[in-house]
mmCIF file of all heavy atoms in Angstrom:
data_model
loop_
_atom_site.group_PDB
_atom_site.id
_atom_site.type_symbol
_atom_site.label_atom_id
_atom_site.label_comp_id
_atom_site.label_asym_id
_atom_site.label_seq_id
_atom_site.Cartn_x
_atom_site.Cartn_y
_atom_site.Cartn_z
ATOM 1 N N LEU A 1 -7.649 18.698 16.187
ATOM 2 C CA LEU A 1 -7.981 20.125 16.331
ATOM 3 C C LEU A 1 -6.737 21.007 16.378
ATOM 4 O O LEU A 1 -6.718 22.058 15.789
ATOM 5 C CB LEU A 1 -8.831 20.288 17.523
ATOM 6 C CG LEU A 1 -10.294 19.750 17.457
ATOM 7 C CD1 LEU A 1 -10.947 19.903 18.822
ATOM 8 C CD2 LEU A 1 -11.109 20.497 16.440
ATOM 9 N N ALA A 2 -5.751 20.581 17.089
ATOM 10 C CA ALA A 2 -4.552 21.363 17.288
ATOM 11 C C ALA A 2 -3.627 21.361 16.011
ATOM 12 O O ALA A 2 -3.122 22.457 15.639
ATOM 13 C CB ALA A 2 -3.763 20.850 18.523
ATOM 14 N N PHE A 3 -3.472 20.179 15.412
ATOM 15 C CA PHE A 3 -2.493 20.105 14.355
ATOM 16 C C PHE A 3 -3.103 19.924 12.978
ATOM 17 O O PHE A 3 -2.436 20.106 11.948
ATOM 18 C CB PHE A 3 -1.536 18.941 14.612
ATOM 19 C CG PHE A 3 -0.786 19.059 15.917
ATOM 20 C CD1 PHE A 3 -1.101 18.253 17.006
ATOM 21 C CD2 PHE A 3 0.169 20.045 16.068
ATOM 22 C CE1 PHE A 3 -0.414 18.406 18.190
ATOM 23 C CE2 PHE A 3 0.851 20.202 17.282
ATOM 24 C CZ PHE A 3 0.595 19.337 18.313
ATOM 25 N N GLY A 4 -4.361 19.521 12.908
ATOM 26 C CA GLY A 4 -4.993 19.252 11.623
ATOM 27 C C GLY A 4 -4.400 18.055 11.000
ATOM 28 O O GLY A 4 -3.762 17.200 11.591
ATOM 29 N N GLY A 5 -4.602 17.924 9.696
ATOM 30 C CA GLY A 5 -4.026 16.811 8.940
ATOM 31 C C GLY A 5 -4.841 15.585 8.978
ATOM 32 O O GLY A 5 -5.965 15.600 9.550
ATOM 33 N N PRO A 6 -4.375 14.537 8.328
ATOM 34 C CA PRO A 6 -5.187 13.300 8.295
ATOM 35 C C PRO A 6 -5.239 12.564 9.588
ATOM 36 O O PRO A 6 -4.379 12.781 10.444
ATOM 37 C CB PRO A 6 -4.420 12.495 7.207
ATOM 38 C CG PRO A 6 -3.035 13.018 7.229
ATOM 39 C CD PRO A 6 -3.159 14.437 7.611
ATOM 40 N N ASP A 7 -6.230 11.761 9.734
ATOM 41 C CA ASP A 7 -6.386 10.878 10.927
ATOM 42 C C ASP A 7 -5.206 9.922 11.019
ATOM 43 O O ASP A 7 -4.777 9.383 9.981
ATOM 44 C CB ASP A 7 -7.698 10.128 10.748
ATOM 45 C CG ASP A 7 -8.078 9.339 11.989
ATOM 46 O OD1 ASP A 7 -7.230 8.606 12.481
ATOM 47 O OD2 ASP A 7 -9.225 9.537 12.451
ATOM 48 N N PRO A 8 -4.662 9.712 12.171
ATOM 49 C CA PRO A 8 -3.531 8.808 12.351
ATOM 50 C C PRO A 8 -3.846 7.372 11.892
ATOM 51 O O PRO A 8 -2.919 6.590 11.586
ATOM 52 C CB PRO A 8 -3.251 8.804 13.856
ATOM 53 C CG PRO A 8 -3.846 10.058 14.359
ATOM 54 C CD PRO A 8 -5.010 10.372 13.427
ATOM 55 N N SER A 9 -5.104 6.962 11.865
ATOM 56 C CA SER A 9 -5.435 5.611 11.397
ATOM 57 C C SER A 9 -5.725 5.565 9.880
ATOM 58 O O SER A 9 -6.101 4.516 9.372
ATOM 59 C CB SER A 9 -6.597 5.076 12.193
ATOM 60 O OG SER A 9 -7.770 5.834 11.911
ATOM 61 N N SER A 10 -5.597 6.676 9.185
ATOM 62 C CA SER A 10 -5.822 6.705 7.760
ATOM 63 C C SER A 10 -4.685 6.099 6.984
ATOM 64 O O SER A 10 -3.554 6.105 7.503
ATOM 65 C CB SER A 10 -6.138 8.148 7.292
ATOM 66 O OG SER A 10 -4.912 8.882 7.295
ATOM 67 N N PRO A 11 -4.902 5.676 5.761
ATOM 68 C CA PRO A 11 -3.812 5.077 5.011
ATOM 69 C C PRO A 11 -2.721 6.082 4.661
ATOM 70 O O PRO A 11 -1.572 5.755 4.484
ATOM 71 C CB PRO A 11 -4.494 4.518 3.732
ATOM 72 C CG PRO A 11 -5.800 5.184 3.642
ATOM 73 C CD PRO A 11 -6.176 5.553 5.058
ATOM 74 N N GLN A 12 -3.072 7.398 4.593
ATOM 75 C CA GLN A 12 -2.135 8.379 4.305
ATOM 76 C C GLN A 12 -1.045 8.439 5.372
ATOM 77 O O GLN A 12 0.117 8.859 5.120
ATOM 78 C CB GLN A 12 -2.761 9.772 4.158
ATOM 79 C CG GLN A 12 -3.631 9.938 2.973
ATOM 80 C CD GLN A 12 -5.114 9.475 3.256
ATOM 81 O OE1 GLN A 12 -5.428 8.945 4.322
ATOM 82 N NE2 GLN A 12 -5.937 9.686 2.252
ATOM 83 N N VAL A 13 -1.370 8.060 6.642
ATOM 84 C CA VAL A 13 -0.462 8.087 7.721
ATOM 85 C C VAL A 13 0.067 6.680 8.020
ATOM 86 O O VAL A 13 1.269 6.453 8.284
ATOM 87 C CB VAL A 13 -1.069 8.661 8.982
ATOM 88 C CG1 VAL A 13 -0.182 8.611 10.189
ATOM 89 C CG2 VAL A 13 -1.503 10.118 8.727
ATOM 90 N N ALA A 14 -0.831 5.685 8.017
ATOM 91 C CA ALA A 14 -0.508 4.343 8.503
ATOM 92 C C ALA A 14 0.296 3.488 7.424
ATOM 93 O O ALA A 14 0.973 2.553 7.823
ATOM 94 C CB ALA A 14 -1.795 3.624 8.833
ATOM 95 N N VAL A 15 0.212 3.824 6.193
ATOM 96 C CA VAL A 15 0.878 3.070 5.160
ATOM 97 C C VAL A 15 2.091 3.792 4.646
ATOM 98 O O VAL A 15 1.998 4.976 4.252
ATOM 99 C CB VAL A 15 -0.089 2.809 3.933
ATOM 100 C CG1 VAL A 15 0.661 2.098 2.803
ATOM 101 C CG2 VAL A 15 -1.313 1.995 4.398
ATOM 102 N N ARG A 16 3.277 3.151 4.694
ATOM 103 C CA ARG A 16 4.470 3.756 4.178
ATOM 104 C C ARG A 16 4.426 3.852 2.671
ATOM 105 O O ARG A 16 4.049 2.887 2.002
ATOM 106 C CB ARG A 16 5.686 2.944 4.605
ATOM 107 C CG ARG A 16 5.949 3.029 6.085
ATOM 108 C CD ARG A 16 7.181 2.200 6.540
ATOM 109 N NE ARG A 16 8.340 2.464 5.722
ATOM 110 C CZ ARG A 16 9.170 1.542 5.279
ATOM 111 N NH1 ARG A 16 9.007 0.282 5.614
ATOM 112 N NH2 ARG A 16 10.202 1.874 4.522
ATOM 113 N N GLN A 17 4.790 4.975 2.141
ATOM 114 C CA GLN A 17 4.755 5.203 0.723
ATOM 115 C C GLN A 17 5.625 4.172 -0.069
ATOM 116 O O GLN A 17 5.248 3.659 -1.094
ATOM 117 C CB GLN A 17 5.200 6.641 0.328
ATOM 118 C CG GLN A 17 5.047 6.942 -1.157
ATOM 119 C CD GLN A 17 3.649 7.006 -1.633
ATOM 120 O OE1 GLN A 17 2.758 7.573 -1.026
ATOM 121 N NE2 GLN A 17 3.389 6.338 -2.785
ATOM 122 N N VAL A 18 6.768 3.865 0.485
ATOM 123 C CA VAL A 18 7.734 2.926 -0.131
ATOM 124 C C VAL A 18 7.055 1.517 -0.255
ATOM 125 O O VAL A 18 7.158 0.893 -1.277
ATOM 126 C CB VAL A 18 9.016 2.835 0.663
ATOM 127 C CG1 VAL A 18 9.914 1.710 0.105
ATOM 128 C CG2 VAL A 18 9.750 4.187 0.652
ATOM 129 N N SER A 19 6.416 1.088 0.765
ATOM 130 C CA SER A 19 5.732 -0.206 0.747
ATOM 131 C C SER A 19 4.583 -0.204 -0.260
ATOM 132 O O SER A 19 4.371 -1.180 -0.964
ATOM 133 C CB SER A 19 5.176 -0.565 2.120
ATOM 134 O OG SER A 19 6.217 -0.571 3.035
ATOM 135 N N PHE A 20 3.834 0.887 -0.315
ATOM 136 C CA PHE A 20 2.735 1.015 -1.257
ATOM 137 C C PHE A 20 3.297 0.985 -2.711
ATOM 138 O O PHE A 20 2.745 0.283 -3.577
ATOM 139 C CB PHE A 20 1.935 2.266 -1.023
ATOM 140 C CG PHE A 20 0.707 2.375 -1.803
ATOM 141 C CD1 PHE A 20 -0.470 1.760 -1.407
ATOM 142 C CD2 PHE A 20 0.664 3.096 -2.983
ATOM 143 C CE1 PHE A 20 -1.624 1.884 -2.141
ATOM 144 C CE2 PHE A 20 -0.483 3.240 -3.749
ATOM 145 C CZ PHE A 20 -1.641 2.572 -3.338
ATOM 146 N N ASP A 21 4.398 1.661 -2.918
ATOM 147 C CA ASP A 21 4.988 1.648 -4.259
ATOM 148 C C ASP A 21 5.485 0.315 -4.684
ATOM 149 O O ASP A 21 5.368 -0.119 -5.829
ATOM 150 C CB ASP A 21 6.163 2.669 -4.325
ATOM 151 C CG ASP A 21 5.718 4.128 -4.208
ATOM 152 O OD1 ASP A 21 4.528 4.418 -4.486
ATOM 153 O OD2 ASP A 21 6.572 4.953 -3.930
ATOM 154 N N ARG A 22 5.992 -0.460 -3.746
ATOM 155 C CA ARG A 22 6.466 -1.851 -4.039
ATOM 156 C C ARG A 22 5.253 -2.710 -4.425
ATOM 157 O O ARG A 22 5.390 -3.541 -5.331
ATOM 158 C CB ARG A 22 7.218 -2.417 -2.847
ATOM 159 C CG ARG A 22 8.600 -1.850 -2.697
ATOM 160 C CD ARG A 22 9.348 -2.554 -1.567
ATOM 161 N NE ARG A 22 10.667 -1.856 -1.385
ATOM 162 C CZ ARG A 22 11.195 -1.690 -0.209
ATOM 163 N NH1 ARG A 22 10.616 -2.181 0.864
ATOM 164 N NH2 ARG A 22 12.340 -1.075 -0.144
ATOM 165 N N ALA A 23 4.189 -2.599 -3.709
ATOM 166 C CA ALA A 23 2.986 -3.375 -4.052
ATOM 167 C C ALA A 23 2.480 -2.938 -5.441
ATOM 168 O O ALA A 23 2.012 -3.796 -6.215
ATOM 169 C CB ALA A 23 1.891 -3.143 -3.007
ATOM 170 N N MET A 24 2.543 -1.673 -5.788
ATOM 171 C CA MET A 24 2.139 -1.201 -7.112
ATOM 172 C C MET A 24 3.026 -1.742 -8.179
ATOM 173 O O MET A 24 2.559 -2.130 -9.292
ATOM 174 C CB MET A 24 2.179 0.312 -7.167
ATOM 175 C CG MET A 24 1.043 1.005 -6.394
ATOM 176 S SD MET A 24 -0.557 0.638 -7.099
ATOM 177 C CE MET A 24 -0.454 1.296 -8.756
ATOM 178 N N GLU A 25 4.358 -1.864 -7.897
ATOM 179 C CA GLU A 25 5.284 -2.468 -8.885
ATOM 180 C C GLU A 25 4.912 -3.888 -9.159
ATOM 181 O O GLU A 25 4.937 -4.378 -10.309
ATOM 182 C CB GLU A 25 6.692 -2.376 -8.345
ATOM 183 C CG GLU A 25 7.271 -0.992 -8.417
ATOM 184 C CD GLU A 25 8.612 -0.890 -7.694
ATOM 185 O OE1 GLU A 25 9.237 -1.954 -7.366
ATOM 186 O OE2 GLU A 25 9.123 0.271 -7.512
ATOM 187 N N LEU A 26 4.533 -4.661 -8.123
ATOM 188 C CA LEU A 26 4.102 -6.068 -8.323
ATOM 189 C C LEU A 26 2.856 -6.117 -9.162
ATOM 190 O O LEU A 26 2.715 -6.944 -10.061
ATOM 191 C CB LEU A 26 3.833 -6.730 -6.985
ATOM 192 C CG LEU A 26 5.035 -7.143 -6.167
ATOM 193 C CD1 LEU A 26 4.631 -7.596 -4.785
ATOM 194 C CD2 LEU A 26 5.771 -8.320 -6.876
ATOM 195 N N LEU A 27 1.929 -5.213 -8.899
ATOM 196 C CA LEU A 27 0.653 -5.159 -9.639
ATOM 197 C C LEU A 27 0.906 -4.876 -11.110
ATOM 198 O O LEU A 27 0.273 -5.464 -11.959
ATOM 199 C CB LEU A 27 -0.277 -4.113 -9.022
ATOM 200 C CG LEU A 27 -1.603 -3.958 -9.646
ATOM 201 C CD1 LEU A 27 -2.452 -5.213 -9.475
ATOM 202 C CD2 LEU A 27 -2.334 -2.750 -9.054
ATOM 203 N N ASN A 28 1.830 -4.006 -11.371
ATOM 204 C CA ASN A 28 2.103 -3.608 -12.790
ATOM 205 C C ASN A 28 3.109 -4.516 -13.482
ATOM 206 O O ASN A 28 3.265 -4.398 -14.702
ATOM 207 C CB ASN A 28 2.633 -2.131 -12.818
ATOM 208 C CG ASN A 28 1.563 -1.153 -12.393
ATOM 209 O OD1 ASN A 28 0.403 -1.318 -12.696
ATOM 210 N ND2 ASN A 28 1.994 -0.134 -11.631
ATOM 211 N N ALA A 29 3.741 -5.415 -12.763
ATOM 212 C CA ALA A 29 4.802 -6.235 -13.378
ATOM 213 C C ALA A 29 4.242 -7.154 -14.487
ATOM 214 O O ALA A 29 4.649 -7.114 -15.593
ATOM 215 C CB ALA A 29 5.511 -7.047 -12.299
ATOM 216 N N SER A 30 3.330 -8.025 -14.091
ATOM 217 C CA SER A 30 2.739 -8.949 -15.042
ATOM 218 C C SER A 30 1.581 -9.709 -14.377
ATOM 219 O O SER A 30 1.515 -9.696 -13.176
ATOM 220 C CB SER A 30 3.760 -9.977 -15.546
ATOM 221 O OG SER A 30 4.167 -10.849 -14.512
ATOM 222 N N PRO A 31 0.710 -10.347 -15.155
ATOM 223 C CA PRO A 31 -0.386 -11.068 -14.549
ATOM 224 C C PRO A 31 0.060 -12.152 -13.568
ATOM 225 O O PRO A 31 -0.657 -12.511 -12.640
ATOM 226 C CB PRO A 31 -1.128 -11.678 -15.742
ATOM 227 C CG PRO A 31 -0.742 -10.836 -16.912
ATOM 228 C CD PRO A 31 0.630 -10.317 -16.618
ATOM 229 N N GLU A 32 1.236 -12.702 -13.774
ATOM 230 C CA GLU A 32 1.743 -13.747 -12.852
ATOM 231 C C GLU A 32 1.956 -13.235 -11.463
ATOM 232 O O GLU A 32 1.990 -14.017 -10.461
ATOM 233 C CB GLU A 32 3.034 -14.362 -13.399
ATOM 234 C CG GLU A 32 2.839 -15.165 -14.663
ATOM 235 C CD GLU A 32 2.816 -14.310 -15.922
ATOM 236 O OE1 GLU A 32 3.475 -13.221 -15.923
ATOM 237 O OE2 GLU A 32 2.116 -14.660 -16.863
ATOM 238 N N HIS A 33 2.139 -11.924 -11.320
ATOM 239 C CA HIS A 33 2.463 -11.338 -9.992
ATOM 240 C C HIS A 33 1.222 -10.836 -9.279
ATOM 241 O O HIS A 33 1.303 -10.212 -8.206
ATOM 242 C CB HIS A 33 3.483 -10.219 -10.140
ATOM 243 C CG HIS A 33 4.831 -10.675 -10.555
ATOM 244 N ND1 HIS A 33 5.251 -10.616 -11.853
ATOM 245 C CD2 HIS A 33 5.830 -11.258 -9.860
ATOM 246 C CE1 HIS A 33 6.457 -11.112 -11.923
ATOM 247 N NE2 HIS A 33 6.817 -11.484 -10.728
ATOM 248 N N LEU A 34 0.016 -11.087 -9.839
ATOM 249 C CA LEU A 34 -1.193 -10.547 -9.250
ATOM 250 C C LEU A 34 -1.443 -11.032 -7.824
ATOM 251 O O LEU A 34 -1.853 -10.329 -6.943
ATOM 252 C CB LEU A 34 -2.395 -10.882 -10.148
ATOM 253 C CG LEU A 34 -3.142 -9.685 -10.544
ATOM 254 C CD1 LEU A 34 -3.054 -9.532 -12.044
ATOM 255 C CD2 LEU A 34 -4.552 -9.798 -10.140
ATOM 256 N N ASP A 35 -1.210 -12.351 -7.587
ATOM 257 C CA ASP A 35 -1.410 -12.880 -6.256
ATOM 258 C C ASP A 35 -0.471 -12.283 -5.251
ATOM 259 O O ASP A 35 -0.825 -11.957 -4.099
ATOM 260 C CB ASP A 35 -1.200 -14.417 -6.222
ATOM 261 C CG ASP A 35 -2.311 -15.172 -6.966
ATOM 262 O OD1 ASP A 35 -3.441 -14.640 -7.035
ATOM 263 O OD2 ASP A 35 -2.005 -16.241 -7.514
ATOM 264 N N ALA A 36 0.786 -12.030 -5.685
ATOM 265 C CA ALA A 36 1.794 -11.386 -4.783
ATOM 266 C C ALA A 36 1.362 -9.982 -4.519
ATOM 267 O O ALA A 36 1.481 -9.492 -3.354
ATOM 268 C CB ALA A 36 3.167 -11.430 -5.402
ATOM 269 N N ALA A 37 0.880 -9.252 -5.490
ATOM 270 C CA ALA A 37 0.424 -7.846 -5.299
ATOM 271 C C ALA A 37 -0.768 -7.855 -4.339
ATOM 272 O O ALA A 37 -0.775 -7.024 -3.434
ATOM 273 C CB ALA A 37 0.067 -7.230 -6.645
ATOM 274 N N GLU A 38 -1.656 -8.743 -4.514
ATOM 275 C CA GLU A 38 -2.852 -8.835 -3.638
ATOM 276 C C GLU A 38 -2.427 -9.093 -2.222
ATOM 277 O O GLU A 38 -2.941 -8.411 -1.260
ATOM 278 C CB GLU A 38 -3.747 -10.001 -4.151
ATOM 279 C CG GLU A 38 -5.156 -9.948 -3.613
ATOM 280 C CD GLU A 38 -5.990 -11.029 -4.280
ATOM 281 O OE1 GLU A 38 -5.780 -11.342 -5.485
ATOM 282 O OE2 GLU A 38 -6.927 -11.497 -3.574
ATOM 283 N N ALA A 39 -1.476 -10.017 -2.046
ATOM 284 C CA ALA A 39 -0.968 -10.285 -0.664
ATOM 285 C C ALA A 39 -0.269 -9.071 -0.043
ATOM 286 O O ALA A 39 -0.392 -8.828 1.135
ATOM 287 C CB ALA A 39 -0.035 -11.499 -0.702
ATOM 288 N N ALA A 40 0.489 -8.348 -0.870
ATOM 289 C CA ALA A 40 1.205 -7.148 -0.430
ATOM 290 C C ALA A 40 0.236 -6.090 0.051
ATOM 291 O O ALA A 40 0.448 -5.483 1.104
ATOM 292 C CB ALA A 40 2.106 -6.610 -1.485
ATOM 293 N N PHE A 41 -0.795 -5.884 -0.667
ATOM 294 C CA PHE A 41 -1.805 -4.866 -0.275
ATOM 295 C C PHE A 41 -2.542 -5.307 1.017
ATOM 296 O O PHE A 41 -2.795 -4.457 1.867
ATOM 297 C CB PHE A 41 -2.807 -4.624 -1.397
ATOM 298 C CG PHE A 41 -2.292 -3.710 -2.500
ATOM 299 C CD1 PHE A 41 -2.229 -4.258 -3.794
ATOM 300 C CD2 PHE A 41 -1.891 -2.481 -2.266
ATOM 301 C CE1 PHE A 41 -1.706 -3.474 -4.845
ATOM 302 C CE2 PHE A 41 -1.401 -1.670 -3.257
ATOM 303 C CZ PHE A 41 -1.291 -2.188 -4.609
ATOM 304 N N ARG A 42 -2.825 -6.591 1.149
ATOM 305 C CA ARG A 42 -3.401 -7.081 2.380
ATOM 306 C C ARG A 42 -2.509 -6.864 3.537
ATOM 307 O O ARG A 42 -2.947 -6.507 4.669
ATOM 308 C CB ARG A 42 -3.769 -8.570 2.229
ATOM 309 C CG ARG A 42 -5.057 -8.783 1.481
ATOM 310 C CD ARG A 42 -5.643 -10.197 1.786
ATOM 311 N NE ARG A 42 -6.948 -10.245 1.106
ATOM 312 C CZ ARG A 42 -7.152 -10.809 -0.063
ATOM 313 N NH1 ARG A 42 -6.183 -11.368 -0.726
ATOM 314 N NH2 ARG A 42 -8.401 -10.833 -0.545
ATOM 315 N N GLN A 43 -1.248 -7.089 3.341
ATOM 316 C CA GLN A 43 -0.232 -6.923 4.439
ATOM 317 C C GLN A 43 -0.135 -5.501 4.850
ATOM 318 O O GLN A 43 0.101 -5.172 5.999
ATOM 319 C CB GLN A 43 1.155 -7.415 3.972
ATOM 320 C CG GLN A 43 2.118 -7.509 5.029
ATOM 321 C CD GLN A 43 3.442 -8.210 4.562
ATOM 322 O OE1 GLN A 43 3.739 -8.203 3.360
ATOM 323 N NE2 GLN A 43 4.162 -8.741 5.503
ATOM 324 N N LEU A 44 -0.423 -4.541 3.957
ATOM 325 C CA LEU A 44 -0.397 -3.112 4.261
ATOM 326 C C LEU A 44 -1.654 -2.719 5.025
ATOM 327 O O LEU A 44 -1.698 -1.629 5.600
ATOM 328 C CB LEU A 44 -0.289 -2.253 2.995
ATOM 329 C CG LEU A 44 1.015 -2.352 2.245
ATOM 330 C CD1 LEU A 44 0.918 -1.611 0.922
ATOM 331 C CD2 LEU A 44 2.101 -1.868 3.098
ATOM 332 N N GLY A 45 -2.669 -3.537 5.086
ATOM 333 C CA GLY A 45 -3.872 -3.253 5.856
ATOM 334 C C GLY A 45 -5.131 -3.071 5.009
ATOM 335 O O GLY A 45 -6.209 -2.745 5.534
ATOM 336 N N TYR A 46 -5.023 -3.232 3.698
ATOM 337 C CA TYR A 46 -6.184 -3.082 2.819
ATOM 338 C C TYR A 46 -6.992 -4.343 2.778
ATOM 339 O O TYR A 46 -6.403 -5.464 2.883
ATOM 340 C CB TYR A 46 -5.691 -2.749 1.394
ATOM 341 C CG TYR A 46 -5.318 -1.276 1.211
ATOM 342 C CD1 TYR A 46 -3.958 -0.956 1.304
ATOM 343 C CD2 TYR A 46 -6.255 -0.309 0.990
ATOM 344 C CE1 TYR A 46 -3.569 0.382 1.139
ATOM 345 C CE2 TYR A 46 -5.869 1.015 0.816
ATOM 346 C CZ TYR A 46 -4.512 1.359 0.869
ATOM 347 O OH TYR A 46 -4.146 2.632 0.743
#
């Protein structure tokens, strides 16, 4: 109410952008990195 913005438990606040970008890089690298990308997203809380 006082400050507005996203909920502190939302991914916009709880997930670091740098970590999310690294998981996206793994996802886009090649099909061989799919398992690693999946694990990275799980580690971020998804």
Side-chain angles (χ1 to χ4, degrees):
L1 289 174
F3 302 109
D7 188 307
S9 65
S10 72
Q12 293 87 354
V13 176
V15 175
R16 291 181 49 221
Q17 184 67 46
V18 172
S19 301
F20 189 82
D21 290 342
R22 286 185 185 144
M24 287 296 298
E25 287 173 9
L26 284 170
L27 181 65
N28 293 323
S30 69
E32 292 82 31
H33 293 99
L34 237 115
D35 290 333
E38 197 173 329
F41 284 119
R42 280 199 173 99
Q43 190 173 23
L44 292 175
Y46 283 96

